Every structure is written in structure tokens, then in C-alpha cells.
Amino acid sequence: MKFSKLLCGALALVGLMASPVWAKDWTSVRIGSEGAYPPFNFFNASGELVGFDIEIGQALCAKMEADCTFVAQDWDGMIPALLSGKYDVILASMSITEERKQQVAFTEPYYRAALTFAGPADSTITDLSPEALEDLSIGALSASTQAEYLQANFPESDVRLYRSQDEVNLDLVSGRLDLQVSDLLPMLDWVTNSEDGKCCKLVGEPIMDPKYAGEGTGMALRQEDQELRQKLNEALAAIVADGTYQAINAKYFPINIYDMK
């Protein structure tokens, strides 16, 4: 008799745990971003997290009718913090790669990407072969696809990795680097629109190899959160269709980065 009561109680508990009461409705979503990658995500003079990524996130949340909060996180810890539950989505210009897909799920790309070299404005470097860049110092953001590209293709160069893109830029400005490799769009913005970036220029052709440029830039989620992934994909399609995406794009870039080839 006691066993039957215990069994019934256990089954009732299992039924309760499986009920919709325990399902996430995603009316509240926490979004992780870095805050050190202008113009995509950065802190303004008032200490607010702003940029293209943030505005896209706000537009997506409006479409989903979700209350969203943004959480700043250093790049190196971005995926571990997602997996530990610090936030629900990474919206921080993260390239979609096979390696990352082993850990997280991605939405459809919300923009396309390429890599680029950058160097001092007076640099005479034109040959970007591994042989030509032997012994030169080249910087990149740590734990990034740019870092993977350098480590795989320039083993004889002095590859230096940094915790933030701002630190890479600073060492290029100060002459402690000969070159750096970065994502094309933020680097184009930096050399074109910033005071510090006047020191420098893009070097060579864009690097489009999908092994390093990725399949595009997506939002990362825990693999089990497929319902949220679907909601984000639907919201992304909606803001592209109604012109919201293009309006945000135009504030930051002279080209359409959604389907950039």
C-alpha cells in the first residue's frame, strides 16, 4: 500500500514536471554581448551598451514581444557563460563555425562577414604570404576566428593575441604591431571614422575563406533551446521584411551587410 502511494506520488511529480508549467515561454530573454567591438557592441560615454548588435537585439525582442536585458561579458568567456546560464543568447558578432557548433546552436546568420589585414597608413607591405610575413608581429583577438587563421597559416610570424579588439588596435597605433587581422566591417569603420584609426589602413584583399570567415554571423544559444532559436529566426525574417533591419544597417554601414557577398 505504501509502495503504491509512493509510486502514484512519483508519477504525479513526473507529470507535473513534464507539464507546460515548467516550459520556458521566452517572454524574458537575457542577451550576452561584449561591449568592446565597435560599431557592433560598445559602451558609450554614459556607460550604456550600444551598437549595431544591441539595436538588432532590441528590434528582435520587440518582434517577439519579449522583455530583454543585456549582459556584458568578456569575449574569452562568452560561450562558457552562455552554457552556465548567465544569459540565454549571445548577440556579439560571433562567426558561425563548425567548431563552435559542437558547443552551441546558432540562428540563421544576421549578417555576412570577412576578415582583413590592417597595418600602419605608411606601411609598404603588399605581399601577405606566410613567407613574406615571417618574423613580423601580427595581432588578433584571442579565441576568435582571426586568431585561428593566423595560428594555422602564419606559424613563423610573431602572432600576438589580445583580450579585446581595443587592445589590438592600441598596439597597432603605438607601433608594437606590424599588422593585425580583424573582421572586415569593424576594421573598415575604425580606419574610416575613428580618430585613432586614421593611423592605419586595410591591407590586401578581404579574406573570405569560410573556414575562418565562417558561414556568416549568428546568435548563439544552448543547443536545447530550440524554441527560442525558432522565435529569433522568425523575428529576424520579420525585421528584414519590414525594413527595420535596413534602417539599423544604414546607421552604421554604407553597404547592406545582411547579404554581403
Side-chain angles (χ1 to χ4, degrees), residues 45-60:
S46 300
E48 300 168 316
L49 192 58
V50 297
F52 176 82
D53 286 338
I54 310 308
E55 291 197 39
I56 290 295
Q58 291 166 340
L60 294 174

Side-chain angles (χ1 to χ4, degrees), residues 68-234:
C68 291
T69 56
F70 289 85
V71 181
Q73 170 66 48
D74 290 343
W75 180 259
D76 287 355
M78 195 67 70
I79 289 178
L82 171 71
L83 298 179
S84 70
K86 184 175 181 179
Y87 37 74
D88 305 304
V89 186
I90 296 172
L91 210 170
S93 291
M94 180 171 283
S95 297
I96 303 169
T97 65
E98 288 301 323
E99 181 179 359
R100 287 174 178 154
K101 285 194 288 188
Q102 301 306 308
Q103 301 181 72
V104 299
F106 281 99
T107 62
E108 294 297 317
Y110 68 98
Y111 73 85
R112 302 293 172 177
L115 307 182
T116 185
F117 279 92
D122 60 359
S123 174
T124 59
I125 296 172
T126 56
D127 185 350
L128 297 174
S129 66
E131 295 75 20
L133 301 187
E134 283 185 13
D135 302 323
L136 294 188
S137 57
I138 313 175
L141 178 66
S142 177
S144 68
T145 49
Q146 303 94 278
E148 293 174 17
Y149 172 76
L150 287 175
Q151 291 171 322
N153 294 284
F154 297 87
E156 302 304 319
S157 297
D158 177 15
V159 174
R160 303 177 187 177
L161 304 182
Y162 297 78
R163 288 178 57 85
S164 74
Q165 186 61 44
D166 285 344
E167 293 177 11
V168 189
N169 295 349
L170 180 61
D171 269 13
L172 188 61
V173 171
S174 65
R176 290 190 287 269
L177 288 172
D178 296 306
L179 293 166
Q180 68 157 295
V181 172
S182 175
D183 283 342
L184 173 63
L185 292 169
M187 189 51 47
L188 176 62
D189 178 75
W190 184 62
V191 301
T192 303
N193 298 320
S194 74
E195 191 64 31
D196 286 347
K198 292 178 180 178
C199 70
C200 303
K201 65 181 180 181
L202 304 188
V203 178
E205 296 297 318
I207 301 161
M208 302 293 292
D209 185 343
K211 182 177 181 180
Y212 303 107
E215 303 166 24
T217 300
M219 293 164 270
L221 308 90
R222 291 179 290 273
Q223 291 177 341
E224 63 268 25
D225 290 337
Q226 290 300 314
E227 184 179 355
L228 178 57
R229 178 178 179 273
Q230 181 179 346
K231 286 178 177 290
L232 287 166
N233 281 335
E234 291 172 353

